[in-house]
Amino acid sequence: MTEIRQKEHAAFEQAEKDYSDGVEGVQTALKIVRDYYAESFVQESSTKATSSGGSIISILEVAEADFSKLLTEARESEADAQAAYEKLMDENKLDSTTKSGGVKFKTQEIGQLEKAVAENSDSRDGVSEELDAVLEYLSKLNDQCIAKSEPYEERKRRREAEVDGLKNALQVLEGEAVGFLSVRRVQRHQQ
């Protein structure tokens, strides 16, 4: 931006010099032509010389007005361009300051967040270890407390063994009962 403005200003300075030189040159030419025709008017009273001198002077006056107008416009244009440049530079400076402050704030915030992440990571590791221990203990308790259903074959085998045991017990009891009754009968008869 500054480089472009410097080029514009250099172009203005050259144009200002050219227009100023043009105005000075035309003013000098006007003075010389007026002096020349004023002397010749005194020496020769000819209307032809006066009229041709008047048209040359008119042309030079128009040229002087044109150069003066161009010089004024160039100066106004330069002043406007300089004011716009200064305004833009002020806005850029303010924007840069604002963004620099934002960067500083964001950098501090990043530091705080990194610290919080580190602390929470340590905390998470501790909680994770604690969770693993609790889950291991829970699985041991589940093994001890939760009744697991036995497969059908195992239940059938156990029932058959139980039924066989009860039949044996019944036979033993019946055999003892018969023996007990006969022992009692014998004891009663002996009395």
Side-chain angles (χ1 to χ4, degrees):
M1 188 68 184
T2 301
E3 185 178 324
I4 293 171
R5 180 65 195 122
Q6 288 173 346
K7 287 179 182 178
E8 288 176 354
H9 184 69
F12 161 74
E13 286 179 338
Q14 183 62 43
E16 182 182 39
K17 182 181 180 307
D18 292 344
Y19 295 148
S20 295
D21 290 347
V23 169
E24 287 178 26
V26 170
Q27 287 174 345
T28 304
L30 268 172
K31 183 176 186 294
I32 292 170
V33 169
R34 283 185 182 141
D35 289 345
Y36 173 76
Y37 282 108
E39 285 179 19
S40 73
F41 182 70
V42 170
Q43 292 173 2
E44 301 175 23
S45 258
S46 119
T47 56
K48 184 176 180 183
T50 310
S51 97
S52 66
S55 62
I56 292 175
I57 291 174
S58 296
I59 291 173
L60 289 175
E61 286 174 344
V62 168
E64 179 187 22
D66 288 345
F67 276 119
S68 295
K69 181 180 176 186
L70 289 172
L71 181 60
T72 302
E73 288 174 355
R75 286 179 178 162
E76 288 174 357
S77 176
E78 172 63 13
D80 291 345
Q82 183 64 28
Y85 171 76
E86 288 172 0
K87 180 181 177 186
L88 181 63
M89 291 306 288
D90 289 343
E91 289 172 358
N92 287 346
K93 186 175 181 181
L94 177 64
D95 191 38
S96 175
T97 302
T98 302
K99 288 180 180 177
S100 294
V103 166
K104 183 179 178 183
F105 173 74
K106 294 290 182 187
T107 303
Q108 289 174 348
E109 187 176 8
I110 287 170
Q112 291 170 349
L113 290 175
E114 286 175 346
K115 182 179 176 184
V117 164
E119 289 172 359
N120 289 335
S121 178
D122 291 342
S123 176
R124 188 197 70 194
D125 290 343
V127 169
S128 179
E129 289 174 9
E130 187 177 336
L131 175 64
D132 290 342
V134 167
L135 289 175
E136 183 180 338
Y137 181 70
L138 178 63
S139 73
K140 288 179 183 177
L141 286 178
N142 284 339
D143 290 343
Q144 294 173 1
C145 296
I146 295 177
K148 296 180 182 174
S149 63
E150 297 176 300
Y152 173 74
E153 290 81 20
E154 180 65 29
R155 284 185 287 164
K156 182 179 176 184
R157 187 191 59 75
R158 271 195 16 232
R159 278 193 194 129
E160 287 175 356
E162 187 179 345
V163 167
D164 286 343
L166 287 174
K167 283 181 184 178
N168 286 338
L170 182 62
Q171 286 175 358
V172 169
L173 286 175
E174 283 178 355
E176 281 183 16
V178 169
F180 179 70
L181 286 175
S182 58
V183 170
R184 283 267 288 181
R185 279 188 200 159
V186 172
Q187 284 180 355
R188 267 195 192 167
H189 286 287
Q190 288 183 3
Q191 288 182 354

